[in-house]
């Protein structure tokens, strides 16, 4: 078979532990036999991050900006235990945080649905994608606990030194205060990423805040979305036959539960944190959740939503068999190939991405699956396989599709 050609490299960000093992197997079993793989490789494994004083993470994000499409393996975010385990010079920051800060994007998370695994909300027949704003609000708050009564004020000093004041509370006794902020530019980036992604996916976009109560703060989000939609996206949405829909967050929650799925739900930072866990749990498994970071200027970084699956890795090191689910990591690669193919006009590469995804889903729907899905699946002929057997079963189907 002639291998599928690529023109522009994909930025490849390798990672840690079990997902690093799966990463190599996915490339060997599902990619290299079919694609003349071109990547610019960055090793974000913790050892190499430590050797390079974490410069490799910054370089990989710069490369993602240069080439526009990246695929990332799960990585360890160091804590005290990892400091000793890896003999680290410093407690390096979360690579995802570093990459997000450089690309300035919005994270979109989408569940992968398969027959045999029914969501806890059985009417959710199509995926719900959560788009979470990843800057500000309570994640960049300033808090105080106050004692014994007193006056709390909100004070803004402009460039010329003029002050604007609002009384927050005249405390008669003990209490708590917090200050939140967001930045118009960040909200605008969030809005554009969401509108672009909705056009990409040809799905409706929902957005919700609590602007009836938060008449200035949340209202600013609502207004920025409305303005950008009116001026830049309304016609494009009409042409694509999709809709932008704004409502209150409590109304949105009720509608989401009653819906059939199949749309993108844009959430402010805190709502996105909470609702993405709700939605992913309701759909079944973190190992079946894809994640893509989309920057406002159109760069894409694909990854799995789960971590490095440390417990399985230690089993693997002891020579024990693992049954780790590689679906989200496979879909990170297929997402990157599809986007690269679209950007470079390579229809064969897009077809390969589609075939890789359908071969993966059909394998599970035929009854062959990893242990995490085996527990959940209602299929009668289900069979649990190990990490590698699962990839080999997908390859068998992929061969047939691409022949
Ligand atoms: P995790 O790797 O997501 O795994 C937690 C548990 O979920 C596993 O022990 C496993 O359960 C199950 N699981 C997750 N993914 C699975 C898969 N693909 N197949 C089968 N089971 C799966 O989270 P963690 O153990 O809390 O974190 C490990 C490391 O990952 C940490 O160092 C953390 O910093 C890092 N992390 C990285 C990212 C990222 O790079 N995006 C995200 C989150 C965490 P059982 O053990 O019961 O089988
Ligand atoms: Mg959370």
């Amino acid at each position: 078979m002639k291998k599928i050609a690529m023109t522009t490299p994909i930025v490849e960000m390798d990672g840690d532990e079990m997902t690093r093992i799966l990463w190599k197997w996915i490339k060997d079993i599902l990619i290299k036999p079919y694609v003349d793989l071109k990547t610019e490789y960055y090793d974000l494994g913790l050892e190499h991050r430590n050797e390079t004083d974490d410069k490799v993470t910054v370089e990989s994000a710069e490369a993602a900006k240069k080439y526009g499409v990246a695929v990332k393996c799960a990585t360890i975010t160091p804590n005290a235990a990892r400091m000793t385990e890896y003999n680290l010079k410093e407690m390096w920051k979360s690579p995802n945080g570093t990459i997000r800060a450089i690309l300035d994007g919005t994270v979109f998370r989408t569940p992968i649905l398969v027959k045999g695994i029914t969501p806890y909300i059985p009417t959710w027949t199509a995926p719900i994608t959560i788009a979470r704003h990843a800057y500000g609000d309570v994640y960049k708050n300033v808090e105080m606990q106050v004692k014994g009564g007193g006056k709390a004020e909100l004070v803004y000093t402009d460039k010329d030194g003029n002050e604007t004041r609002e009384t927050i509370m005249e405390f008669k006794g003990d209490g708590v205060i917090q200050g939140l902020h967001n930045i118009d530019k960040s909200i605008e980036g969030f809005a554009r990423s969401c509108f672009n992604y909705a056009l990409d996916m040809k799905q409706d976009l929902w957005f919700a805040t609590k602007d009836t109560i938060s008449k200035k703060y949340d209202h600013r989000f609502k207004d920025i979305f409305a303005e950008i939609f009116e001026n830049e996206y309304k016609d494009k949405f009409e042409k694509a036959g999709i809709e932008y829909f704004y409502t209150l967050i409590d109304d949105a929650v009720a509608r989401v539960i009653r819906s059939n799925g199949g749309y993108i739900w844009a959430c402010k930072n805190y709502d996105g944190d909470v609702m993405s866990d709700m939605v992913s749990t309701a759909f079944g498994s973190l190992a079946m959740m894809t994640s893509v970071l989309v920057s406002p200027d159109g760069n894409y970084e694909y990854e799995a939503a789960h971590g490095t699956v440390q417990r399985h890795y230690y089993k693997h090191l002891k020579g024990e068999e693992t049954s780790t689910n590689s679906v989200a990591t496979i879909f990170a690669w297929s997402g990157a190939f599809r986007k690269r193919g679209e950007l470079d006009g390579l229809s064969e590469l897009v077809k390969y991405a589609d075939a890789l995804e359908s071969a993966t889903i059909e394998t599970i729907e035929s009854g062959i699956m990893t242990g995490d899905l085996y527990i959940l699946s209602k299929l009668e002929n289900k069979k649990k396989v190990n990490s590698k057997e699962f990839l080999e079963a997908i390859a068998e189907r992929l061969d047939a599709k691409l022949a």
Side-chain angles (χ1 to χ4, degrees):
M1 197 189 330
K2 201 170 159 284
K3 289 193 191 179
I4 297 157
M6 292 178 66
T7 46
T8 317
I10 287 173
V11 177
E12 175 183 355
M13 303 166 170
D14 206 344
D16 288 300
E17 302 197 307
M18 199 59 211
T19 42
R20 188 182 180 97
I21 306 287
L22 296 178
W23 193 261
K24 179 167 189 315
W25 288 349
I26 291 170
K27 278 167 58 180
D28 289 345
I29 299 169
L30 293 176
I31 298 173
K32 284 180 180 169
Y34 310 95
V35 179
D36 193 9
L37 183 62
K38 269 198 171 123
T39 71
E40 192 163 295
Y41 180 84
Y42 292 86
D43 183 1
L44 302 198
L46 186 51
E47 277 170 21
H48 193 240
R49 272 183 277 149
N50 192 52
E51 278 163 23
T52 62
D53 295 337
D54 207 21
K55 285 199 182 69
V56 65
T57 307
V58 174
E59 284 163 9
S60 74
E62 298 293 350
K65 263 183 134 162
K66 177 175 163 199
Y67 291 108
V69 181
V71 59
K72 181 181 169 292
C73 179
T75 46
I76 293 169
T77 299
N79 56 15
R82 302 296 199 170
M83 291 289 290
T84 22
E85 186 183 354
Y86 284 85
N87 194 18
L88 299 180
K89 299 187 224 168
E90 237 180 78
M91 204 184 284
W92 307 111
K93 282 194 246 163
S94 147
N96 286 358
T98 303
I99 293 165
R100 206 175 294 152
I102 293 170
L103 290 181
D104 174 28
T106 301
V107 176
F108 296 85
R109 289 199 161 178
T110 310
I112 301 155
L113 305 192
V114 289
K115 252 186 254 131
I117 296 173
T118 321
Y120 288 97
I121 314 279
T123 47
W124 285 1
T125 49
I128 297 168
T129 296
I130 297 267
R132 174 182 170 190
H133 186 209
Y135 179 83
D137 303 350
V138 74
Y139 301 87
K140 285 249 184 251
N141 67 356
V142 179
E143 303 180 303
M144 270 183 218
Q145 194 177 345
V146 294
K147 295 266 180 216
K151 185 175 174 185
E153 285 180 287
L154 198 57
V155 182
Y156 175 72
T157 313
D158 73 14
K159 277 186 296 202
D160 304 323
N162 306 309
E163 286 184 357
T164 314
R165 280 171 188 270
E166 291 272 357
T167 300
I168 298 170
M169 182 68 191
E170 305 256 10
F171 285 99
K172 300 280 183 282
D174 300 352
V176 281
I177 323 166
Q178 85 172 328
L180 308 183
H181 81 276
N182 221 299
I183 298 170
D184 280 10
K185 193 163 173 286
S186 174
I187 305 168
E188 288 161 13
F190 173 42
R192 287 201 178 90
S193 300
C194 291
F195 290 129
N196 287 337
Y197 198 71
L199 285 169
D200 255 16
M201 303 299 290
K202 300 202 171 44
Q203 286 185 344
D204 291 347
L205 177 69
W206 298 15
F207 181 45
T209 72
K210 193 72 181 174
D211 67 284
T212 45
I213 299 298
S214 175
K215 289 185 166 54
K216 289 197 175 131
Y217 196 104
D218 278 16
H219 215 283
R220 188 76 197 124
F221 280 78
K222 178 184 178 181
D223 285 347
I224 287 175
F225 267 70
E227 239 174 74
I228 291 179
F229 180 69
E230 238 5 84
N231 296 336
E232 300 171 31
Y233 290 95
K234 202 172 180 210
D235 297 342
K236 292 180 195 159
F237 268 52
E238 254 165 42
K239 248 186 230 141
I242 58 174
E243 199 181 300
Y244 169 59
F245 169 65
Y246 178 86
T247 187
L248 284 169
I249 185 73
D250 33 0
D251 179 49
V253 169
R255 285 173 189 260
V256 164
I257 297 296
R258 288 194 305 262
S259 77
N260 300 123
Y263 49 86
I264 296 153
W265 182 12
C267 291
K268 284 180 63 199
N269 210 348
Y270 174 81
D271 297 338
D273 187 354
V274 177
M275 291 307 163
S276 69
D277 277 8
M278 193 269 284
V279 168
S280 63
T281 306
F283 271 109
S285 164
L286 201 58
M288 297 291 280
M289 181 72 65
T290 63
S291 186
V292 56
L293 174 69
V294 183
S295 79
D297 45 353
N299 300 308
Y300 294 75
E301 184 240 316
Y302 295 85
E303 61 173 341
H306 59 78
T308 59
V309 213
Q310 182 180 15
R311 209 180 61 83
H312 295 211
Y313 179 59
Y314 290 147
K315 274 177 76 178
H316 173 81
L317 287 182
K318 279 192 261 167
E320 288 171 34
E321 192 170 79
T322 60
S323 183
T324 315
N325 189 334
S326 47
V327 172
T329 307
I330 295 170
F331 273 63
W333 275 102
S334 60
F337 283 125
R338 182 178 297 108
K339 180 53 73 183
R340 199 63 274 167
E342 284 168 5
L343 292 174
D344 296 347
L346 302 171
S347 63
E348 287 303 308
L349 198 59
V350 175
K351 260 191 238 159
Y352 163 77
D354 292 342
L356 178 56
E357 290 182 1
S358 55
T360 304
I361 288 174
E362 285 165 24
T363 299
I364 299 168
E365 295 186 338
S366 79
I368 298 170
M369 60 193 82
T370 47
D372 56 315
L373 298 184
Y374 183 82
I375 296 169
L376 298 172
S377 178
K378 295 195 178 78
L379 293 184
E380 278 179 8
N381 62 335
K382 63 183 177 179
K383 181 179 168 221
K384 178 181 160 178
V385 292
N386 68 34
S387 305
K388 208 168 202 173
E389 286 166 349
F390 180 63
L391 296 172
E392 284 160 353
I394 297 171
E396 223 171 89
R397 278 173 194 272
L398 190 55
D399 276 342
K401 279 179 191 290
L402 295 175

